[in-house]
Amino acid sequence: MKHRRRFLKRIVYAIIFLIIALRLPFVAAQNREIFKDVTDTAGITWQHFSGESPDRIMIEAASGGVAFLDYDGDGLLDIFLVNGGETPNGKSPGPIKNALYRNLGNGRFEDVTAKSGLEKLSFYGMGAAVGDYDNDGYPDMYVTGFPRSALFHNNGDGTFTDVTEKAGVKNAGRWSACGVWFDYDRDGYLDLLVCNYTALSFENPKNCQFNGVRTYCDQKVYPGLPLTLYHNNGNGTFTDVSRASGVEQFVGRALGAVAIDVNDDGWPDLFVARDASPNLLLINRHDGTFEDRGLDAEIAYDENGVAKAGMGVDAGDVTGNGRPAFVVTNFNDEYHSIFVNSGKFPYEDWTVRSHLAAFTKADVGWGTHFLDYDNDGVLDLVIVNGHLNQVIEMARGNVKYKQPPLLLRNDGHGVFESMRAEAGEAFRKGYNARGLAVGDFDNDGAMDLIFTSLNQRPVLLHNNVGAANAWIGFQLEGSKSNRDAIGAKLTLRADGRVLVRWITGGSSYISSHDKRVVFGLGKMAPKSLSLEIRWPSGQIQNISGLALSQYQVVREPTKP
């Protein structure tokens, strides 16, 4: 009897130990940080330079574009970083260089800037807009800045050539922030919107002070500028159609923009985030012109009729209604905004309802992006923050100069919760963050992040959790449509569940993203799966027999 009890006890202990052993990986996964800072291990050493000076010229506080792109066509996302520049009294001890890092496929990146042709600019750099404007299969680069911008053509051999003068896209004399590639007339070639911010002069900087300390002036001190729209002629040149399209009339302080089909008519529209100027919702009239419906949509001003300090913007379906909602980052005390598209005007302001107001009162937001970080099929939200003025803590103890990023999890109905405790160490530190780009640099189906900070190294964050759930990814190649398929709408049906995504132009703040589309599918692999693509040309394509946990290249049929 005694031996039997000992035997049974051993069996019980063995079962307990087995249960513990089986649960350990689950517990470890649960306790694992969502995003890990891999900047050091990736070998990224480049540092941003803003030209910060005693003059406190506004541009010193606004630069730092970043882009994910596969510049060499090897199937791995590389990284491009835009440096700022010198100001009259803000000199660099060494040469100011941009950075192009080639993805080696083993978690590390190689600095290939010197031989790329992207190393130096003849102007103060701001942002990066990536798009294959000549449909040759290689991504090209438009770099915004002051007092001009530049277009670099990808030669397909690892090098880029400055073709700005030939192309006619210099945007001379203007301080430009974001660039947006999109095919507004659906002729199969990417056109280019340039967001111009304010009139600026290095020779006559504005003098503003707080408690006797020189500080950056209020943005309203600087007059705004009109938008610029370049039409792609299909032969390597562009025509300035700002006046003919109607966008030239919208004078203001534009910083961020996203191109997406707002009203589901198959034509790309524009949401433009502007700083102390009313936001714009430019609806495509199908005839080469745009109409602003921002007032009708009630996205132009806040409830008091005041224009917020719009900086970054993104679009995505956060409520599951199949329509693009918009997030806009703003200044402290204004709250970052969320506008839900119900299919009619006005839009619904969900800033409070979504809980975004509760998380962002003290923040100054810049780059932002919707992403399904855990691949549960619901779009979450990431925002990077950072104040302009070092003196802010003298006036406001609750508003910090350096601010942590936000990772917000969506409950599936457009209501968010902060994941700061689980997100990773980077989300508990303060930064002067600016540009933010999203992309899957190791092709595991989980979206990774990179963001820049003024006068610091960028932060590259690897997603540790998304690959644990089922997913499917798509890389679209247009034929009649533009090669990047910017403007495409993808509708995935999985066991009765319907997920809608778009390939957008622009978005975030002065940055560019992975153009592949990933659908998260949760823990259980669906039994039935089908995809509908509405290409930018208007052609509809239906695909079935899809394989999970991999990227699939889909080419637009040459014949309907």
Side-chain angles (χ1 to χ4, degrees), residues 6-25 27:
R6 287 177 180 171
F7 177 75
L8 290 173
K9 189 180 289 185
R10 288 174 182 170
I11 292 295
V12 171
Y13 286 157
I15 292 172
I16 291 171
F17 289 143
L18 180 60
I19 292 172
I20 292 173
L22 289 173
R23 279 191 57 80
L24 278 175
V27 173

Side-chain angles (χ1 to χ4, degrees), residues 166-203:
K166 175 187 174 184
V169 291
K170 188 175 181 179
N171 201 38
R174 291 178 170 178
W175 174 7
S176 58
C178 77
V180 178
W181 292 106
F182 74 126
D183 183 7
Y184 76 88
D185 58 352
R186 304 202 321 180
D187 66 352
Y189 290 94
L190 289 176
D191 310 301
L192 178 64
L193 177 82
V194 183
C195 296
N196 299 307
Y197 187 46
T198 69
L200 185 68
S201 170
F202 282 162
E203 287 69 36

Side-chain angles (χ1 to χ4, degrees), residues 225-283:
L225 297 172
L227 300 170
T228 304
L229 181 61
Y230 292 109
H231 175 260
N232 190 333
N233 300 322
N235 59 1
T237 69
F238 292 75
T239 299
D240 187 337
V241 294
S242 306
R243 179 169 298 176
S245 66
V247 305
E248 188 178 69
Q249 66 183 297
F250 303 117
V251 176
R253 305 171 190 86
L255 284 174
V258 59
I260 192 169
D261 183 3
V262 168
N263 51 12
D264 204 33
D265 64 355
W267 292 75
D269 310 298
L270 293 162
F271 188 116
V272 182
R274 304 200 300 177
D275 186 7
S277 305
N279 295 328
L280 305 173
L281 188 65
L282 301 181
I283 302 300

Side-chain angles (χ1 to χ4, degrees), residues 74 76-78 101-106 108-109 441-442:
D74 65 354
L76 298 169
L77 286 181
D78 312 299
Y101 282 96
R102 181 174 180 268
N103 191 335
L104 300 178
N106 58 0
R108 293 191 59 80
F109 289 77
F441 74 78
D442 57 352

Side-chain angles (χ1 to χ4, degrees), residues 501-516:
R501 304 287 185 266
W502 295 263
I503 301 179
T504 61
S507 86
S508 189
Y509 174 73
I510 61 175
S511 300
S512 288
H513 318 277
D514 191 346
K515 290 181 174 60
R516 296 174 298 179

